[in-house]
Amino acid sequence: MTRGAYLLNLGRVPYREAWDLQRSLAAAVSQGAIPDTVLLLEHPPVVTLGRRTEEGELHVPEGAEVEIVETDRGGKSTYHGPGQLVCYPILDLTRHGQDVKRYCRDLEEALIRTLAAVGVDATRIEGLTGIWVDGPIPRKIASIGVHITKWITACGLADASFTTITRELGHPVSVDEVRPHAAAALEEVFGLGFDDLPADKGAGLWPQPIHEQLTAKPTGAATSSGAAQGIEQVAASP
């Protein structure tokens, strides 16, 4: 069975602004005001610190124009920046089995299908989070971080080499080329059918800075109580 959902295809959004938008959408989903919602976007350079970030883990060159943000997600520090497609699924997990492990595996499956659609053969590696390109030295190509409150999840490693779609394929691949494949994979794995989130009525979401973009260029995604906000990222460029 396919459930209706909203998809918001946004451009480059500051991390804190996207965080506020996620919270607003998660509240609307939890109240049943909107269906499951997914955000696809990029961030300006930012390092987010998860709850397991260790002292001395972060090494940012002095003068680097990178924002540092402490978050409530699990995991350690993660870099986000231009050229990375970031996906924030805000899902009502009461509609998706109320199984956190299954939810994470489904996110991984959506990532694997997204990468396969652009020609990258990626996989899971037992005992490690995220999605990898296998080899003598495994190369991480996508990360997942999850935060769950009242069954509402919000998403986003182990030591290893990192890679990108462009590096694996040997030619440039833009974020905009990856977006439709990511949306299609999420629809298939989670049984969703995406529509644009209406920009004229926000179910209590407005006003927020991002909504000026929505009124100019509608997009879509959604959630509910017992819901999940998730983040998956795929690095498209080097």
Side-chain angles (χ1 to χ4, degrees), residues 6 21 24-25 28-29 31 33-34 197-208 211 214:
Y6 288 145
L21 180 58
S24 181
L25 290 168
V29 170
Q31 295 163 11
I34 59 174
L197 176 65
D200 56 343
K201 52 180 180 180
L205 305 177
W206 325 119
Q208 295 185 47
H211 296 140
L214 295 182

Side-chain angles (χ1 to χ4, degrees), residues 118-143:
V118 296
V120 176
D121 184 14
T123 187
R124 302 174 180 88
I125 294 181
E126 187 67 31
L128 300 179
T129 61
I131 297 302
W132 304 76
V133 177
D134 208 357
I137 300 178
R139 304 179 299 284
K140 189 165 195 176
I141 195 168
S143 301

Side-chain angles (χ1 to χ4, degrees), residues 49-55 57 73-77 129 157-158:
L49 308 180
R51 293 191 300 270
R52 293 198 299 114
T53 300
E54 299 174 0
E55 187 176 349
E57 175 182 328
R73 64 164 173 79
K76 297 189 176 185
S77 58
T129 61
L157 268 184

Side-chain angles (χ1 to χ4, degrees), residues 59-70:
H59 302 282
V60 178
E62 187 175 350
E65 295 184 4
V66 179
E67 186 180 14
I68 310 296
V69 180
E70 292 190 17

Side-chain angles (χ1 to χ4, degrees), residues 139-213:
R139 304 179 299 284
K140 189 165 195 176
I141 195 168
S143 301
I144 296 173
V146 175
H147 173 75
I148 297 177
T149 302
K150 296 181 180 177
W151 288 110
I152 296 181
T153 71
C155 301
L157 268 184
D159 293 335
S161 173
F162 289 80
T163 189
T164 67
I165 294 173
T166 291
R167 189 172 300 154
E168 293 300 320
L169 295 180
H171 61 80
V173 177
S174 71
V175 166
D176 285 344
E177 290 177 75
V178 179
R179 286 174 184 266
H181 299 301
L186 288 163
E187 284 185 312
E188 292 170 3
V189 172
F190 288 99
L192 303 175
F194 286 136
D195 288 312
D196 287 341
L197 176 65
D200 56 343
K201 52 180 180 180
L205 305 177
W206 325 119
Q208 295 185 47
I210 196 66
H211 296 140
E212 294 178 10
Q213 295 183 34

